[in-house]
Amino acid sequence: MLTKRLIACFDIIDGRVTKAVKFQDNIDVAPAEELAEALYKANVDELIFYDITASAQKRCIDIETVKRVASRVFIPFTVGGGIKTLNDMYEVLKAGAEKVSVDSMAVRNPQIISEGAKAFGSQCVVLSTQVKRTPSMPSGYEVYIDGARQATGLDAMEWIKRGQELGAGEICLNSIDNDGTLSGYDLELMRMAERAVSVPLIASGGAGLPEHLQALFSQTDAQAAIISSMLYSPRMARNYTVAELKEYLMRSSINVRTQA
């Protein structure tokens, strides 16, 4: 049985981790490298880092913060935000990332997915997709870009199918409707995605209780879950430790990694 992964996801502004609800009203949390090291030592499985204003501001990713974080953690580390070219991907990997996440730029230039997969291998390319419930779309979900600010007119399921065809080795689906709400993952979205693609899926948006993780892993084929709010959101009545979450999942017969 495959081991399920718990992933900390950092929304970075000026080198600091922030936390938002539905991509708005970001609250400052901590310096990125300090929180990364703390969660690495707490046995989180992976880390995803998004420079969330890079695409909207049309600038390159904050490579210095990538380097500082990479120097503190020794787990799979994915970086995204402001990646426009193959050279940008190379610089991120050279700075210490194991994988590169593409989102807005992939919509604008889908060939960046295939170029990255050809140059570095599909296992290095993660397609991150922000989706919102939109009844007019065939699947009921639409792709948004630029930090969930801009609707694209793309159907979410058709887009992730194309991403897989172009060479993405993993897909992260973030529900804009559920993001930061602590109400649970969009299980319907994840079940639809698992029927559409065969690459590993990461669920993002909505986790607030250990039960939400149990529901995700027992009711869908998602291989990984982003658990940011549960770990460090100032809006939580209480934060959970990685150990608490893994112990709960093991009691629920969910297979997780127990030690680094």
Side-chain angles (χ1 to χ4, degrees):
M1 183 169 58
L2 289 176
T3 300
K4 303 297 186 179
R5 293 172 284 142
L6 300 185
I7 301 176
C9 179
F10 290 178
D11 289 343
I12 303 292
I13 298 177
D14 297 329
R16 296 183 65 87
V17 179
T18 67
K19 201 71 195 76
V21 175
K22 299 184 180 180
F23 290 78
Q24 297 178 353
D25 303 322
N26 287 71
I27 295 174
D28 181 77
V29 176
E33 64 271 21
E34 292 180 11
L35 187 56
E37 183 175 19
L39 292 174
Y40 161 66
K41 289 179 176 178
N43 202 28
V44 78
D45 296 314
E46 295 189 22
L47 176 63
I48 295 179
F49 167 129
Y50 293 127
D51 185 338
I52 60 171
T53 57
S55 292
Q57 294 174 356
K58 296 180 170 53
R59 60 170 172 80
C60 294
I61 197 165
D62 180 356
I63 203 73
E64 292 306 314
T65 302
V66 174
K67 290 178 181 177
R68 290 197 301 273
V69 170
S71 72
R72 302 279 194 101
V73 302
F74 302 94
I75 51 177
F77 176 33
T78 302
V79 172
I83 293 172
K84 304 179 184 68
T85 67
L86 199 61
N87 187 64
D88 291 339
M89 290 184 172
Y90 173 73
E91 290 299 323
V92 163
L93 295 170
K94 187 171 72 171
E98 279 79 25
K99 305 180 213 177
V100 175
S101 173
V102 289
D103 186 339
S104 301
M105 185 50 61
V107 171
R108 294 188 170 99
N109 175 26
Q111 292 310 309
I112 195 171
I113 301 173
S114 53
E115 289 170 3
K118 183 178 180 181
F120 309 114
S122 289
Q123 79 284 350
C124 281
V125 181
V126 179
L127 177 60
S128 181
T129 304
Q130 322 303 322
V131 306
K132 189 173 185 178
R133 287 183 180 269
T134 307
S136 61
M137 291 287 111
S139 69
Y141 294 90
E142 183 176 6
V143 175
Y144 277 64
I145 59 173
D146 294 339
R149 298 174 182 87
Q150 180 65 46
T152 65
L154 287 173
D155 180 77
M157 294 305 110
E158 291 305 313
W159 172 236
I160 64 171
K161 285 179 187 176
R162 188 176 182 201
Q164 176 179 268
E165 290 166 0
L166 288 167
E170 197 165 21
I171 292 170
C172 180
L173 276 170
N174 192 356
S175 166
I176 296 170
D177 302 290
N178 291 36
D179 184 77
T181 63
L182 313 179
S183 60
Y185 297 99
D186 187 334
L187 301 184
E188 180 184 352
L189 171 65
M190 299 311 298
R191 284 192 284 261
M192 192 178 296
E194 71 194 36
R195 294 193 295 269
V197 299
S198 57
V199 295
L201 292 170
I202 302 169
S204 179
L209 295 169
E211 289 83 356
H212 296 154
L213 288 166
Q214 192 275 339
L216 174 73
F217 290 138
S218 63
Q219 297 179 39
T220 81
D221 289 338
Q223 284 84 2
I226 287 176
I227 54 171
S228 302
S229 291
M230 301 177 75
L231 296 175
Y232 59 79
S233 174
R235 294 183 172 95
M236 289 282 289
R238 65 162 293 221
N239 293 126
Y240 294 88
T241 67
V242 177
E244 284 179 308
L245 297 175
K246 290 190 173 185
E247 286 165 9
Y248 176 87
L249 290 172
M250 286 189 287
R251 290 197 302 271
S252 302
S253 301
I254 305 294
N255 192 29
V256 294
R257 184 174 65 91
T258 56
Q259 59 184 8

